[in-house]
Amino acid sequence: MIWNKEAECMSREQLRELQGKRLRNVVENVYKNTPFYRRKMDEIGVKPEDINSIDDITKLPFTTKTDLRDNYPFGLCAVPMKDIVRVHASSGTTGKPTVVGYTRNDLEAWADCLARSFTAYGATKNDFFHISYGYGLFTGGLGAHYGAEKIGASVIPMSSGNTDKQILLMHDFGSSVLCCTPSYALFIADKIKESGYPRNEFKLKIGAFGAEPWTEQMRTELQEKLGIKAYDIYGLSEIAGPGVGFECENQNGTHLNEDHYFPEIINPVTFEPMKEGETGELVFTHLTKEGMPLLRYRTKDLTALHFDKCSCGRTLVRMDRILGRSDDMMIIRGVNVFPSQIESVILKMDEFAPQYKIFVDRINNLDIMEVWVEVREEYFTDELSKMLAMKKKLSSAIHSVLGIAVDIKLVEPNSIERSEGKAKRVFDKRIFK
């Protein structure tokens, strides 16, 4: 199903013409109304009249999270504060948060992008949306909420936490769509198994999971445990929130709503554009945002783009799964390591639950990495030889992927704390030394 066929299926030529027109309007707006951008553009000798098509986007300056914090709280707004009807801010950061302001039109456009997402998953006005993203300054809860209401669905605004009550209401209300982080969805799945409710009494059919990277192996596990079809939903608070991108029924890449958010892939070191299919850093430019439009915002997310038409009928560009963040990449003894690489190995092996922690330290000037992995209950045993065999098997598999040796610690079932929000997996002690 398609929510907005005209926008989602227009030809690439029509889309690029629309993007160019909208880019010119945004550049004129920020140059006139945002001193930060006027100064940045003047420094590199670029004027609004230099932007004639979407190809001219490379003439514009980049924006970083530091720029948002330096202009805290409302220095990047391009409209008077009387026109800002909602404010969101990033979660999980130290110091000043990154603040985002929305006009009423911004909220309407955002809700439309969520409606596209949920419709692509097969959701309709007849569904019950169980929203377990956090509400408040975090964009997840309210973003999903208004998107679900946009398609006419019923909304259960649960927020995160109180999992026993979540399961009770999910069961009694007949929730059919679950919106939360994938790690919390796994936690819910395990709690449902413990609850005593037969799974066939639940009406869940769709999962809209985002706010943290996850793997195909985790998708398989979620689909099997919850009896759903699990979809990725992509977003970031600085751009809008969830709904910047979504998967279709093919689950073969995330379609980006590029009529609102123009994507680029750049080399994170040289800032040069990358070719189609090449992995690099994802950059977004707002094309319709009024309240706080950003030019070439560096997300730090690492991925690749594909422009061939999808068999679902959409012409919107498809994005690969997020490999990780450029600032999440760990360099261990000269090797680039992403947590997602380790997770993919763990989830391919039946012996282990999708629960792990990575500890990095430096001892005697040598980087060491230890991975704690939870053994599934049916495989956990007091027989030392069997546990050692599992440990050796996992260690060898991770070594073959990373090319470096990693210490493995196998831990008891249910001994790693579950997360009700974004899961914290990496603990790097080197930053304190």
Side-chain angles (χ1 to χ4, degrees):
M1 295 187 294
I2 295 176
W3 173 258
N4 186 337
K5 190 170 185 179
E6 181 181 357
E8 297 175 59
C9 302
M10 70 173 65
S11 70
R12 295 301 307 176
E13 293 76 16
Q14 289 176 305
L15 181 57
R16 289 186 66 80
E17 184 176 348
L18 177 65
Q19 290 169 334
K21 179 181 178 181
R22 288 180 170 178
L23 178 64
R24 288 192 296 273
N25 291 337
V26 166
V27 171
E28 289 174 1
N29 181 26
V30 298
Y31 189 82
K32 178 181 178 182
N33 296 310
T34 311
F36 168 80
Y37 279 122
R38 183 163 59 251
R39 183 175 66 254
K40 292 269 284 189
M41 290 175 63
D42 286 346
E43 285 174 355
I44 59 176
V46 176
K47 300 292 184 184
E49 52 267 29
D50 296 324
I51 308 302
N52 298 303
S53 73
I54 196 63
D55 293 326
D56 292 326
I57 198 166
T58 56
K59 299 177 181 178
L60 297 171
F62 290 107
T63 310
T64 67
K65 183 167 285 192
T66 299
D67 294 326
L68 272 70
R69 292 194 176 123
D70 288 347
N71 288 275
Y72 172 89
F74 306 122
L76 291 183
C77 285
V79 297
M81 289 308 297
K82 65 180 178 62
D83 295 329
I84 297 293
V85 298
R86 173 127 35 104
V87 172
H88 280 287
S90 62
S91 61
T93 58
T94 57
K96 294 179 179 178
T98 53
V99 178
V100 182
Y102 302 76
T103 66
R104 195 161 300 282
N105 286 336
D106 293 338
L107 293 179
E108 183 64 27
W110 184 18
D112 187 75
C113 287
L114 265 302
R116 297 182 191 182
S117 308
F118 295 148
T119 302
Y121 305 156
T124 71
K125 64 181 181 180
N126 299 317
D127 280 296
F128 262 83
F129 274 70
H130 192 99
I131 299 177
S132 298
Y133 287 116
Y135 278 67
L137 288 175
F138 176 59
T139 56
L142 285 170
H145 185 119
Y146 281 91
E149 287 188 347
K150 181 80 172 180
I151 67 172
S154 302
V155 177
I156 308 168
M158 284 299 302
S159 196
S160 58
N162 199 349
T163 306
D164 290 339
K165 188 174 183 180
Q166 300 252 10
I167 292 168
L168 172 70
L169 298 186
M170 198 179 297
H171 175 271
D172 294 351
F173 289 5
S175 305
S176 54
V177 182
L178 174 61
C179 302
C180 62
T181 63
S183 56
Y184 190 43
L186 279 173
F187 185 46
I188 288 174
D190 291 338
K191 284 293 187 179
I192 287 176
K193 188 176 180 179
E194 297 172 7
S195 70
Y197 293 117
R199 199 182 76 175
N200 61 12
E201 292 184 1
F202 288 84
K203 295 183 179 179
L204 287 176
K205 63 178 183 179
I206 294 168
F209 304 132
E212 62 188 20
W214 53 302
T215 61
E216 282 298 319
Q217 290 80 11
M218 187 177 285
R219 187 207 299 271
T220 299
E221 179 133 359
L222 284 164
Q223 292 186 155
E224 290 176 352
K225 284 188 170 183
L226 290 171
I228 62 173
K229 197 161 184 181
Y231 293 97
D232 190 34
I233 189 164
Y234 175 78
L236 60 164
S237 61
E238 298 90 338
I239 301 303
V244 172
F246 60 93
E247 288 184 306
C248 65
E249 66 267 22
N250 296 322
Q251 295 177 313
N252 184 31
T254 298
H255 290 283
L256 298 177
N257 286 309
E258 54 178 320
D259 55 327
H260 291 284
Y261 322 108
F262 183 77
E264 302 173 77
I265 299 291
I266 64 167
N267 183 308
V269 177
T270 66
F271 309 142
E272 291 297 315
M274 305 291 283
K275 295 179 181 178
E276 179 178 355
E278 291 183 340
T279 298
E281 182 181 344
L282 181 62
V283 173
F284 279 112
T285 296
H286 283 122
L287 297 180
T288 58
K289 194 79 174 282
E290 295 177 339
M292 204 182 89
L294 301 180
L295 303 181
R296 307 190 79 193
Y297 180 74
R298 296 185 57 189
T299 68
K300 301 289 187 177
D301 287 336
L302 299 173
T303 186
L305 300 179
H306 304 275
F307 291 91
D308 54 307
K309 185 177 179 179
C310 183
S311 59
C312 72
R314 293 175 179 83
T315 53
L316 296 173
V317 64
R318 285 176 296 116
M319 177 182 76
D320 285 345
R321 276 193 177 277
I322 301 297
L323 173 64
R325 290 176 56 82
S326 59
D327 51 3
D328 281 346
M329 184 183 75
M330 301 173 287
I331 301 178
I332 310 296
R333 300 192 290 277
V335 176
N336 296 343
V337 176
F338 291 95
S340 59
Q341 293 174 295
I342 295 171
E343 180 178 290
S344 66
V345 174
I346 293 170
L347 292 179
K348 287 178 181 176
M349 303 174 72
D350 294 336
E351 298 92 329
F352 306 111
Q355 305 295 337
Y356 64 94
K357 289 185 177 180
I358 301 170
F359 297 91
V360 182
D361 206 343
R362 180 170 291 134
I363 298 177
N364 296 326
N365 296 316
L366 180 67
D367 290 335
I368 62 168
M369 182 163 64
E370 183 177 55
V371 181
W372 292 17
V373 184
E374 199 173 279
V375 181
R376 292 188 189 275
E377 194 166 351
E378 59 268 32
Y379 289 95
F380 193 79
T381 176
D382 291 333
E383 294 184 40
L384 183 60
S385 60
K386 289 185 178 180
M387 295 295 286
L388 287 174
M390 276 190 282
K391 180 177 178 179
K392 183 177 180 181
K393 180 182 177 183
L394 178 58
S395 179
S396 176
I398 292 178
H399 184 274
S400 68
V401 170
L402 301 183
I404 58 173
V406 174
D407 294 328
I408 302 295
K409 181 179 180 179
L410 302 184
V411 300
E412 295 181 6
N414 303 310
S415 60
I416 292 179
E417 182 181 0
R418 270 49 172 175
S419 170
E420 295 180 343
K422 293 186 180 183
K424 181 170 176 57
R425 304 290 195 190
V426 180
F427 302 84
D428 193 340
K429 298 179 182 179
R430 296 174 300 174
I431 60 176
F432 302 113
K433 297 185 177 183

